[in-house]
Amino acid sequence: MNVSLDGYIAAPGDDLAWSVPSDELFQFWSDRVGETGLALYGRRLWEAMSSHWPTADEQPGVTPAHVEFAQRWRAMPKVVFSSTIDAVDWNARLVTGDAVTEIARLKAEDGGPMDIGAATLAAAAMQAGLVDEYVVVTHPVLVGGGTSYFTALDGPVPLRLVETRTFPGGVVLHRYETER
């Protein structure tokens, strides 16, 4: 997840303008999509992604990096968790039931790396102890409020730092594994 230094994934009003990625960071996210076995989305992120990426590679002036991301995104299997939408497309299936139960079931199948791309969904998985790895891309900005990345937990979750990487503009990636 992209996160502000003060811990938000979106500023008030769902503003994401502060998190526009550099070319290098965009390539990192594209490569990650290419390696993801299954992406888990909440409704709001699904609506944002599915309104742009299915046809992004057909837009005038599109860059090769955006073409690659669009192709990878369409090919990547996705599960969308929502009780308010009726259907999904673009290599996705809809789950309307309990997200934690479904994530635990999917994790037990061992179908490759899963990414959770939604704050509410990630919070439920964190609280249930279902997250094995945290990839936090911190942008050097304070937004002062909005949608928090981390949620209240029942106790500490010990983590082990496995990667640190710096991107242009002072953006820093930290990747942690959960210690069990």
Side-chain angles (χ1 to χ4, degrees), residues 117-156:
T120 303
L121 191 59
M126 285 180 212
Q127 290 172 336
L130 295 172
V131 178
D132 297 323
E133 179 179 275
Y134 293 85
V135 178
V136 182
V137 177
T138 306
H139 293 255
V141 62
L142 302 172
V143 299
T147 305
S148 180
Y149 176 46
F150 294 101
T151 184
L153 299 169
D154 294 334

Side-chain angles (χ1 to χ4, degrees), residues 31-130:
D31 292 344
R32 187 151 177 105
V33 165
E35 297 166 0
T36 298
L38 182 64
L40 310 180
Y41 287 104
R43 179 195 50 83
R44 287 191 321 182
L45 183 59
W46 169 253
E47 288 175 343
M49 297 295 281
S50 67
S51 70
H52 178 72
W53 290 110
T55 59
D57 55 343
E58 300 168 6
Q59 303 306 312
V62 68
T63 66
H66 283 81
V67 169
E68 178 182 57
F69 185 93
Q71 291 169 347
R72 287 175 168 178
W73 185 85
R74 283 193 305 262
M76 177 181 59
K78 297 169 274 298
V79 174
V80 179
F81 294 86
S82 176
S83 60
T84 60
I85 57 177
D86 297 325
V88 295
D89 48 13
W90 305 109
N91 202 21
R93 70 178 179 85
L94 180 63
V95 172
T96 59
D98 181 61
V100 170
T101 301
E102 181 65 7
I103 293 169
R105 187 189 71 72
L106 291 167
K107 189 173 174 180
E109 288 180 355
D110 193 30
M114 287 190 294
D115 271 358
I116 300 176
T120 303
L121 191 59
M126 285 180 212
Q127 290 172 336
L130 295 172

